Amino acid sequence: MHYQAELYGNYYASTVRQSAAVDPLERVVRLASGSAVVIFSLSTCCMCHAVKRLFCGMGVNPTVYELDQDPRGKEIERALMRLLGGGSSVPVVFIGGKLVGAMDRVMASHINGTLVPLLKEAGALWL
Amino acid sequence: MASHRGGQHVLSDSGPSRHHHISYAVPHTLHLPSNTSFINQEGSAFDFEIEELEEAIALQRVKINNNDEAKQTLYTARPRAATIEMFPSWPLKFHHTPRESLKSGEDSVCSESALNTLASRGDTCTATGHRLQPLLPPETQPQMEMVSSSDKPTTGVTESQLDAKPNPPKRRGAGSSSDKVLDAKTLRRLAQNREAAKKSRLRKKAYVHQLESSRIRLAQLEQDLQRARSQGFIIGGGAAGGNISSGAALFDMEYARWLDDEHRHMSELRTALQAHLSDSDLQIIVDKYIAHYDELFCLKEVAAVSDVIHLITGMWTTPAERCFLWMGGFRPSDLIKMLIAQLDTLTEHQAVGIYSLQQSSQQGEEALSQGLEQLQQSLISTIANGSVNDSMHQMAVALGKLTSLEGFVRQADNLRQQTLHQLRRILTVRQATRCFLVISEYYGRLRALSSLWASRPRENFIADDNSCQTSTVLQTLLSSRNQFSNF
């Protein structure tokens, strides 16, 4: 699991002109495509901790973005909330750039056996 | 005086015999015939005592007619009292006299006969045995009746009558009457006494019966209450000391209803299996069962919003279920483990599916448990680190963390629901029917175990109270075991 702390910094380094005007959702999509497994989380959220433990228990190495350590994290949180249709903003999981959902969707997909193939497809699991 | 009654034997309903015995009543020195005057000028205290007693009884039980005029002739010194006085003007002499065998039996003579005796003979009838037997002339002793009646009220009455001021007996009033008239009056009095005594006995019996049934009912109510409490069902306000929230109480009620439905579904599954229905029919029943569980998860979701701690502590479940409670419900991996042992006819594909379901449910459980643990740690540090200045803020933070418990219970219920749905997907219809029947029966047995546990005898000295509960529960269990054995 590796944490991207300098989200804004990286972003700014790569695209200077559009730094202020990028739609947070677009940022989300861009970040999500950057790794096989991406988790948007809050460091204080215990459910996020649970989802992290779930992936680590399966032997997956997810990329975690702690939104409370991002200066523009609030926007992303709001965007995520809109994406999920209300409720809590985190945790949100992307696998292979595709949205899986919040904790309940992740659990459901794991129980019905669709999560592991998805992980394998994204290259996060090799076994 | 009362000599004609003195020392009489117990019952004489018949005139002749009484007459016969009346002759005995007279002190032997006098040898008065039965139809002679009753005045015993020897005037022993005995006579007066007999007199008192007889009168007292008569007054107590029977409407006293106005025989005053006749009585006055006999007892000039004794004004007729309107009420019975409790204490005599002179004391009775007590001494135990041997009793002759009486017509109606000895110790167990009832108050009725006692009253009759008193009324007719003026015997000092003692309801409590020989305590109050007055001193009698020796020759009258054989006729002295000692009535030991267990009838307390009568005893009291009798004693009071013994102590009552003598009143001219009704019979006295017939000083100038013939024996026949006297007998009639006596007869009437006897009869009335008998009736009154009978009524008194019946009243007492009814009262005791009522007391007994009330006691039984109270014991049953207490038992029910204890059972309900042990299962955490306190319906209505304030029964558990007011520490159950309305959301929790509502959930408990709904859960009770759900349990009733569960029994219905279980029997439906059983009959469906035994009836060898077609797959489509079984499908319907299985789907209904899954929907039944979905309903429970909905109820729990609502309850989690209002009172998640009630769900987590498991006060809505039975004690044995509470032992194995995980995050407010059953542990899905335990259920799968139990099922793997029970379901034997699985294809390889199905077996793989079941085992991977077991693994994924275990991983889900582990993740949620770790998340909950982190929540606990965070809550502990929040509560511990609150400074005096910051206490309100810290409390607010702590409250927020406590609220996130709700999310965990919801996720746990989600895990359970998904597990059940996946089971349905892996198995064939017939297998699924059997599988859900196994699940239903398993929890039924667990609940029965809880009932047994709740009603087990805890101490020797209350074993009697609990043994009837245990026996009824055991009976239920045995009868349900027969049903289990079919499966």
Side-chain angles (χ1 to χ4, degrees), chain B residues 104-358:
Chain B
S104 62
E106 293 180 317
D107 289 341
S108 57
V109 171
C110 61
S111 57
E112 166 194 350
S113 51
L115 291 170
N116 289 341
T117 311
L118 290 167
S120 60
R121 306 283 173 266
D123 274 352
T124 51
C125 165
T126 73
T128 50
H130 48 268
R131 265 193 305 116
L132 296 174
Q133 189 175 13
L135 185 60
L136 299 171
E139 59 278 2
T140 60
Q141 285 171 10
Q143 282 81 30
M144 215 23 229
E145 181 206 344
M146 297 237 293
V147 176
S148 54
S149 155
S150 57
D151 214 8
K152 273 258 168 144
T154 316
T155 307
V157 163
T158 313
E159 290 176 24
S160 66
Q161 286 161 0
L162 284 173
D163 297 337
K165 261 227 158 78
N167 289 303
K170 263 205 293 205
R171 228 188 304 164
R172 292 295 152 69
S176 55
S177 318
S178 67
D179 281 342
K180 282 220 188 299
V181 175
L182 285 171
D183 292 344
K185 280 193 186 174
T186 312
L187 269 174
R188 190 162 31 103
R189 183 169 42 212
L190 283 175
Q192 280 163 339
N193 286 348
R194 262 200 303 282
E195 275 168 36
K198 194 190 297 181
K199 265 186 220 148
S200 161
R201 271 200 312 280
L202 285 173
R203 264 201 311 265
K204 183 190 175 188
K205 203 191 288 184
Y207 178 59
V208 167
H209 179 71
Q210 191 191 5
L211 276 179
E212 287 292 317
S213 61
S214 298
R215 194 172 67 87
I216 291 170
R217 208 156 37 93
L218 180 67
Q220 274 175 358
L221 278 174
E222 278 178 15
Q223 181 183 329
D224 287 351
L225 187 65
Q226 194 205 1
R227 202 174 289 151
R229 266 217 187 104
S230 71
Q231 293 177 4
F233 286 11
I234 306 292
I235 299 172
N243 57 358
I244 188 165
S245 71
S246 62
L250 186 66
F251 175 73
D252 286 352
M253 274 198 309
E254 304 271 316
Y255 182 66
R257 211 175 300 139
W258 186 86
L259 275 180
D260 292 339
D261 283 348
E262 168 78 5
H263 289 139
R264 197 169 37 87
H265 278 101
M266 178 165 77
S267 51
E268 240 182 76
L269 285 167
R270 194 177 291 129
T271 53
L273 267 183
Q274 288 167 352
H276 301 290
L277 297 177
S278 69
D279 275 5
S280 52
D281 292 337
L282 283 179
Q283 174 92 28
I284 294 170
I285 293 173
V286 165
D287 288 344
K288 274 204 298 187
Y289 190 78
I290 299 243
H292 167 69
Y293 258 96
D294 287 344
E295 207 181 290
L296 175 65
F297 295 124
C298 276
L299 287 174
K300 287 179 80 181
E301 197 171 323
V302 171
V305 172
S306 65
D307 193 350
V308 65
I309 293 186
H310 176 73
L311 284 182
I312 279 192
T313 55
M315 292 314 295
W316 52 279
T317 57
T318 58
E321 285 177 288
R322 218 174 295 148
C323 269
F324 308 115
L325 205 72
W326 173 77
M327 261 193 227
F330 67 85
R331 199 179 264 270
S333 57
D334 283 350
L335 193 71
I336 305 292
K337 265 183 232 161
M338 188 267 295
L339 285 171
I340 282 174
Q342 299 289 327
L343 298 173
D344 40 7
T345 60
L346 294 175
T347 67
E348 201 177 311
H349 177 71
Q350 284 177 327
V352 167
I354 294 282
Y355 276 105
S356 62
L357 176 62
Q358 186 183 10

Side-chain angles (χ1 to χ4, degrees), chain A residues 1-7 10 31-41 52 55-56 60-67 69 123-124 126:
Chain A
M1 183 158 44
H2 51 279
Y3 289 84
Q4 304 280 40
E6 293 294 329
L7 295 174
N10 288 344
L31 292 170
S33 335
S35 313
V37 179
V38 173
I39 304 177
F40 290 98
S41 147
K52 289 175 218 166
F55 281 108
C56 293
V60 173
N61 188 20
T63 305
V64 179
Y65 295 108
E66 301 286 1
L67 297 178
Q69 289 160 7
W126 292 281

Side-chain angles (χ1 to χ4, degrees), chain B residues 351-378:
Chain B
V352 167
I354 294 282
Y355 276 105
S356 62
L357 176 62
Q358 186 183 10
Q359 192 180 26
S360 53
S361 62
Q362 259 170 344
Q363 285 168 343
E365 282 167 25
E366 188 58 37
L368 286 176
S369 300
Q370 288 185 10
L372 187 65
E373 203 179 300
Q374 201 201 44
L375 179 66
Q376 273 178 330
Q377 293 302 319
S378 150

